[in-house]
Amino acid sequence: MKAIPRAARVYIGCALLGAGACVLPALRPGATTPWGTVALLAALYALCELPARCRVLGRGVDGSPPLGAGSFFPVLLAAALLLPPAAAALTTLPGSLLARVDEPPAAPRRVWRAAATSLAVYAAAHTADALSCGNALGGVYRAPDLPYALLPATAASLSFCLVLTALDGGIRATADGLTARAAWRGLLGRALAPHTVHGLAGLMMAVLWRSSYGPVAALFVLLPMYISCWVFTQYHRERAAHQATIRALVQAVDIKDRYTRGHSERVGHASFLIARELGMSEDRLDTVRFAGILHDVGKLGVPTRVLRKDGPLTPEERRIIELHPEYGHEMVRGIGFLGEARAAILHHHERMDGNGYPYGLRGEEIPEYARVVAVADSFDAMTSTRSYSRARPVPTAVAELERCAGTQFDPRMVAALVRALDRYGWQPAVTSDETAPEGNVPPPRDPVTPRPKERA
């Protein structure tokens, strides 16, 4: 179970206190809270979240992510348009507390979600109220004021989006120790369009709710939301298929070169840490992690006798094994979702001074991902205990990387790794239980500055 940092606990507590202050006016004696509407909307939102907790309905047979997870926000935005702010904030609580949580600890995550969504709905309801949304929705005997009603609905959904992304960035900063730039980067851009669509769907629900057709007619708005949720789930299924493809390739490499088992996954993780410190966007973080995991996939094209040879390589064998980046690039060239990762696989043995292989690129000619993976690769090679060498202490490995910065490695990538290690630490690992000589992936040719000793 992952421990929650103290800063994150304090942050969650503050959000919970804020949510409590928001809903308190609706609970005071004498408050004119429309409990019937609150109960119906709260029950509807909770009902939308319940299937995700069912083993049969909540997850596909292929292990794809559950439905829900924000796909039914139109219910909450409809509540923000229909109810006073304090009452609207109450509608989020049952569904948020019942929502499925896949990672422990579950209780703090549910409490956080309940507090964050309550605050966001409260802000959205205040925005709608300030723009006289209640009058614009019409009623049983009065037509809605369209297109004016679009203004408060859009403004409310924007307020909802801004508050929710601001809170999410804060929890990422406190729980994961990210910088402010890294924590909030890309959140608003990814959330703005979906929340705007949810706001329009919420407006449709609110108009139908107030009309002569009543709340039952408003339920039909959830049908397109369910379809969008299904599309979202299909996306995650495709993503799961990508992960399975990568796992299969890595497993094949580990079987062939058993002396560096686990190395690929750790290089992927270290590459991710470096890229996150550099402030890369979320989609690029995934791609650079794929690049780190698959950087040695070209070993599948190298004869096993060369990889496991006991003793030094001949010049011919060295030329063969130096082709493994090109083999890897050819193997993954047709896998479209890897994107820039393909260039990293091809160039992760290049050096800043031009003495690397396969093409002798130098400086900025080397793709950014390849410079990231080169640092992660060498760092893990130095800090892993293997059958043929003891792990170097992390400070020793870092000192070696810093010594070679500018000649072999990009100084920016080395500095980013150092910051990430200070923040998260590193756990060295044993990658082989067998006794064997050192493997035969050669370092770049350089008569002056030797590359840190590595296996892969």
Side-chain angles (χ1 to χ4, degrees), residues 378-392:
S378 290
F379 174 74
D380 181 70
M382 288 189 286
T383 55
S384 297
T385 297
R386 301 175 183 179
S387 59
Y388 50 79
S389 64
R390 290 183 176 274
R392 302 189 196 184

Side-chain angles (χ1 to χ4, degrees), residues 271-293:
S271 299
F272 175 87
L273 293 179
I274 294 171
R276 189 161 64 177
E277 287 296 322
L278 294 173
M280 290 187 184
S281 60
E282 290 292 332
D283 56 334
R284 297 195 78 206
L285 289 178
D286 282 343
T287 307
V288 78
R289 184 171 64 84
F290 292 158
I293 292 173

Side-chain angles (χ1 to χ4, degrees), residues 53-73:
R53 301 196 65 177
C54 175
R55 287 185 177 272
V56 177
L57 299 176
R59 187 171 293 274
V61 294
D62 59 350
S64 56
L67 299 179
S71 295
F72 299 105
F73 278 166

Side-chain angles (χ1 to χ4, degrees), residues 416-433:
L417 177 63
V418 172
R419 292 195 302 272
L421 294 176
D422 289 341
R423 194 186 307 274
Y424 304 108
W426 185 261
Q427 182 61 46
V430 177
T431 56
S432 176
D433 295 328

